[in-house]
Amino acid sequence: MAVESVKTGSDGKVWSFCSMPFWQTTHPSSSSSTSSMHNSVHHQSQILQSLDRSTYQPSTTVSSVAKSLLPTRRRLRLDPPNKLYFPYEPGKQVRSAIAIKNTCKSHVAFKFQTTAPKSCYMRPPGGILAPGESIIATVFKFVEPPENNEKPIDQKSRVKFKIMSLKVKGEMDYVPELFDEQRDHVAVEQILRVIFLDPERPSPALDKLKRQLAEAEAALEARKKPQEETGPRVAGEGLVIDEWKERRERYLARQQVEVVDSV
C-alpha cells in the first residue's frame, strides 16, 4: 500500500513523493543506483580509451609533419648563397654562375627548378656530387626588354630558382626521376632570387661572376677532352681492331704450321 505525501517548500513549490511499499526497504534502490553509476563510469572510461586510441595515429602524423617543418641541415654549400647575378642586357641571353659543394659524408644529388622554364635553363640541370666534391653550374636567362624605359636598377625580375638535394647511396647515374621516387627525402636547399648587374659599371659581384663563368667554361672543356680522346666509341673500335689483329696473327701462325707439317 503506497502512502502519498505532499511537502510544501519555503519557495512555494509543491513536491509529491510516491513512497514505496513499507515492506520494501531502500537498500535495493541504492545498490541499483550504485551499479548504474559504476556502469556509466566504466562506459565513459571506455569512450575515453577509444578516443585516445583513435587520436594516437593523427598525433604521430602531426609530429611527423612538425618534424618536416623544422629547418633541415644543409647538404650543399652555395656561392652566392641566395642570389643569382645576371648582367643586365635587354633582349639578349645572359649567363650567371653558382658554385655548389657537397658538405655531407655521403653522395648527394642536386636538381634545379625555375619558375620560367621557357626563358631559363641550367647547365647542368642536376647531378650527383661525391662527399666534398664541388661544381660550378651555369644558368642561362633571356632578359626581357624593359617597359616604359625603366632603368636597370628599377628593372625587377619575378623569376626565381630553386635548388633541391637528395642523399643517394654511393655512385650512380643521375636521373631526374630520383626526386620523384624519393620525394619524402628531398630537401629544398635554397630559393635563389635574380639580381641584375650593370655590365658597364665595375663591381665585386660582377668580377666574381666573370671568374666563376671562366672556371665553369674551363671545367666544361676539361670534361670534354677525356671523352674525345678516350670515348667509348674509340675504345670500342680499338678493342675490335686489336682482337682482329690477334685472330689474324693466330690464323697466319696456324697456316705456317700446317705448311711445315705438309712439307
mmCIF file of all heavy atoms in Angstrom, residues 182-199:
data_model
loop_
_atom_site.group_PDB
_atom_site.id
_atom_site.type_symbol
_atom_site.label_atom_id
_atom_site.label_comp_id
_atom_site.label_asym_id
_atom_site.label_seq_id
_atom_site.Cartn_x
_atom_site.Cartn_y
_atom_site.Cartn_z
ATOM 1 N N GLN A 182 61.755 9.449 -54.487
ATOM 2 C CA GLN A 182 62.067 9.627 -53.063
ATOM 3 C C GLN A 182 61.729 11.052 -52.625
ATOM 4 O O GLN A 182 62.535 11.716 -51.969
ATOM 5 C CB GLN A 182 63.545 9.328 -52.818
ATOM 6 C CG GLN A 182 63.992 7.968 -53.306
ATOM 7 C CD GLN A 182 65.444 7.692 -53.021
ATOM 8 O OE1 GLN A 182 65.987 8.106 -51.995
ATOM 9 N NE2 GLN A 182 66.105 6.996 -53.922
ATOM 10 N N ARG A 183 60.553 11.496 -52.993
ATOM 11 C CA ARG A 183 60.177 12.876 -52.702
ATOM 12 C C ARG A 183 60.086 13.163 -51.213
ATOM 13 O O ARG A 183 60.220 14.322 -50.779
ATOM 14 C CB ARG A 183 58.845 13.202 -53.388
ATOM 15 C CG ARG A 183 57.675 12.371 -52.895
ATOM 16 C CD ARG A 183 56.411 12.755 -53.654
ATOM 17 N NE ARG A 183 56.567 12.531 -55.095
ATOM 18 C CZ ARG A 183 55.687 12.939 -55.991
ATOM 19 N NH1 ARG A 183 54.611 13.594 -55.610
ATOM 20 N NH2 ARG A 183 55.890 12.689 -57.268
ATOM 21 N N ASP A 184 59.854 12.132 -50.388
ATOM 22 C CA ASP A 184 59.776 12.358 -48.944
ATOM 23 C C ASP A 184 61.131 12.727 -48.346
ATOM 24 O O ASP A 184 61.193 13.287 -47.247
ATOM 25 C CB ASP A 184 59.229 11.120 -48.237
ATOM 26 C CG ASP A 184 57.785 10.831 -48.624
ATOM 27 O OD1 ASP A 184 57.098 11.779 -49.054
ATOM 28 O OD2 ASP A 184 57.348 9.666 -48.511
ATOM 29 N N HIS A 185 62.215 12.396 -49.037
ATOM 30 C CA HIS A 185 63.557 12.667 -48.526
ATOM 31 C C HIS A 185 64.220 13.854 -49.228
ATOM 32 O O HIS A 185 65.397 14.122 -48.983
ATOM 33 C CB HIS A 185 64.434 11.426 -48.687
ATOM 34 C CG HIS A 185 63.876 10.202 -48.009
ATOM 35 N ND1 HIS A 185 63.953 10.009 -46.643
ATOM 36 C CD2 HIS A 185 63.215 9.126 -48.505
ATOM 37 C CE1 HIS A 185 63.374 8.854 -46.327
ATOM 38 N NE2 HIS A 185 62.920 8.301 -47.443
ATOM 39 N N VAL A 186 63.473 14.533 -50.078
ATOM 40 C CA VAL A 186 64.017 15.669 -50.806
ATOM 41 C C VAL A 186 63.981 16.903 -49.912
ATOM 42 O O VAL A 186 62.994 17.157 -49.218
ATOM 43 C CB VAL A 186 63.230 15.914 -52.107
ATOM 44 C CG1 VAL A 186 63.706 17.188 -52.789
ATOM 45 C CG2 VAL A 186 63.380 14.718 -53.045
ATOM 46 N N ALA A 187 65.061 17.655 -49.929
ATOM 47 C CA ALA A 187 65.147 18.892 -49.141
ATOM 48 C C ALA A 187 65.359 20.072 -50.083
ATOM 49 O O ALA A 187 66.095 19.966 -51.063
ATOM 50 C CB ALA A 187 66.295 18.813 -48.132
ATOM 51 N N VAL A 188 64.702 21.165 -49.786
ATOM 52 C CA VAL A 188 64.895 22.399 -50.543
ATOM 53 C C VAL A 188 66.074 23.141 -49.929
ATOM 54 O O VAL A 188 66.019 23.584 -48.781
ATOM 55 C CB VAL A 188 63.621 23.270 -50.523
ATOM 56 C CG1 VAL A 188 63.863 24.581 -51.235
ATOM 57 C CG2 VAL A 188 62.459 22.524 -51.149
ATOM 58 N N GLU A 189 67.143 23.261 -50.694
ATOM 59 C CA GLU A 189 68.342 23.901 -50.177
ATOM 60 C C GLU A 189 68.191 25.425 -50.104
ATOM 61 O O GLU A 189 68.494 26.039 -49.093
ATOM 62 C CB GLU A 189 69.544 23.534 -51.054
ATOM 63 C CG GLU A 189 69.981 22.089 -50.935
ATOM 64 C CD GLU A 189 70.615 21.782 -49.588
ATOM 65 O OE1 GLU A 189 71.185 22.697 -48.971
ATOM 66 O OE2 GLU A 189 70.533 20.621 -49.162
ATOM 67 N N GLN A 190 67.716 26.000 -51.210
ATOM 68 C CA GLN A 190 67.626 27.462 -51.239
ATOM 69 C C GLN A 190 66.735 27.917 -52.384
ATOM 70 O O GLN A 190 66.651 27.251 -53.418
ATOM 71 C CB GLN A 190 69.023 28.076 -51.408
ATOM 72 C CG GLN A 190 69.081 29.570 -51.209
ATOM 73 C CD GLN A 190 68.622 29.999 -49.827
ATOM 74 O OE1 GLN A 190 67.474 30.423 -49.656
ATOM 75 N NE2 GLN A 190 69.485 29.879 -48.839
ATOM 76 N N ILE A 191 66.071 29.043 -52.161
ATOM 77 C CA ILE A 191 65.348 29.760 -53.210
ATOM 78 C C ILE A 191 66.233 30.926 -53.638
ATOM 79 O O ILE A 191 66.586 31.780 -52.811
ATOM 80 C CB ILE A 191 63.984 30.264 -52.728
ATOM 81 C CG1 ILE A 191 63.143 29.100 -52.192
ATOM 82 C CG2 ILE A 191 63.260 30.983 -53.850
ATOM 83 C CD1 ILE A 191 62.744 28.089 -53.229
ATOM 84 N N LEU A 192 66.586 30.975 -54.917
ATOM 85 C CA LEU A 192 67.520 31.976 -55.430
ATOM 86 C C LEU A 192 66.758 33.083 -56.153
ATOM 87 O O LEU A 192 65.917 32.804 -57.010
ATOM 88 C CB LEU A 192 68.527 31.328 -56.382
ATOM 89 C CG LEU A 192 69.321 30.139 -55.816
ATOM 90 C CD1 LEU A 192 70.127 29.479 -56.911
ATOM 91 C CD2 LEU A 192 70.231 30.603 -54.688
ATOM 92 N N ARG A 193 67.048 34.308 -55.797
ATOM 93 C CA ARG A 193 66.451 35.465 -56.459
ATOM 94 C C ARG A 193 67.389 35.989 -57.542
ATOM 95 O O ARG A 193 68.612 35.849 -57.458
ATOM 96 C CB ARG A 193 66.161 36.579 -55.442
ATOM 97 C CG ARG A 193 65.111 36.197 -54.403
ATOM 98 C CD ARG A 193 64.718 37.392 -53.545
ATOM 99 N NE ARG A 193 65.851 37.975 -52.835
ATOM 100 C CZ ARG A 193 66.362 39.169 -53.095
ATOM 101 N NH1 ARG A 193 65.866 39.914 -54.075
ATOM 102 N NH2 ARG A 193 67.375 39.638 -52.399
ATOM 103 N N VAL A 194 66.806 36.598 -58.541
ATOM 104 C CA VAL A 194 67.570 37.136 -59.671
ATOM 105 C C VAL A 194 67.923 38.596 -59.377
ATOM 106 O O VAL A 194 67.052 39.407 -59.045
ATOM 107 C CB VAL A 194 66.762 37.022 -60.972
ATOM 108 C CG1 VAL A 194 67.465 37.750 -62.110
ATOM 109 C CG2 VAL A 194 66.552 35.558 -61.330
ATOM 110 N N ILE A 195 69.212 38.905 -59.499
ATOM 111 C CA ILE A 195 69.709 40.265 -59.316
ATOM 112 C C ILE A 195 70.448 40.675 -60.591
ATOM 113 O O ILE A 195 71.342 39.956 -61.049
ATOM 114 C CB ILE A 195 70.655 40.374 -58.103
ATOM 115 C CG1 ILE A 195 69.935 39.907 -56.823
ATOM 116 C CG2 ILE A 195 71.180 41.790 -57.949
ATOM 117 C CD1 ILE A 195 68.764 40.766 -56.427
ATOM 118 N N PHE A 196 70.067 41.824 -61.142
ATOM 119 C CA PHE A 196 70.712 42.324 -62.353
ATOM 120 C C PHE A 196 71.869 43.246 -61.984
ATOM 121 O O PHE A 196 71.775 44.035 -61.034
ATOM 122 C CB PHE A 196 69.711 43.067 -63.231
ATOM 123 C CG PHE A 196 68.730 42.163 -63.918
ATOM 124 C CD1 PHE A 196 67.381 42.218 -63.596
ATOM 125 C CD2 PHE A 196 69.154 41.258 -64.875
ATOM 126 C CE1 PHE A 196 66.469 41.396 -64.222
ATOM 127 C CE2 PHE A 196 68.246 40.418 -65.506
ATOM 128 C CZ PHE A 196 66.908 40.483 -65.179
ATOM 129 N N LEU A 197 72.933 43.140 -62.777
ATOM 130 C CA LEU A 197 74.111 43.985 -62.603
ATOM 131 C C LEU A 197 74.335 44.804 -63.868
ATOM 132 O O LEU A 197 74.081 44.330 -64.980
ATOM 133 C CB LEU A 197 75.360 43.131 -62.317
ATOM 134 C CG LEU A 197 75.322 42.240 -61.076
ATOM 135 C CD1 LEU A 197 76.551 41.364 -61.029
ATOM 136 C CD2 LEU A 197 75.212 43.081 -59.811
ATOM 137 N N ASP A 198 74.824 46.001 -63.671
ATOM 138 C CA ASP A 198 75.165 46.853 -64.805
ATOM 139 C C ASP A 198 76.508 46.392 -65.365
ATOM 140 O O ASP A 198 77.539 46.474 -64.685
ATOM 141 C CB ASP A 198 75.248 48.310 -64.352
ATOM 142 C CG ASP A 198 75.408 49.267 -65.525
ATOM 143 O OD1 ASP A 198 75.563 48.786 -66.679
ATOM 144 O OD2 ASP A 198 75.379 50.492 -65.294
ATOM 145 N N PRO A 199 76.546 45.869 -66.603
ATOM 146 C CA PRO A 199 77.825 45.348 -67.132
ATOM 147 C C PRO A 199 78.863 46.432 -67.381
ATOM 148 O O PRO A 199 80.063 46.121 -67.502
ATOM 149 C CB PRO A 199 77.404 44.675 -68.446
ATOM 150 C CG PRO A 199 76.138 45.336 -68.846
ATOM 151 C CD PRO A 199 75.449 45.726 -67.574
#
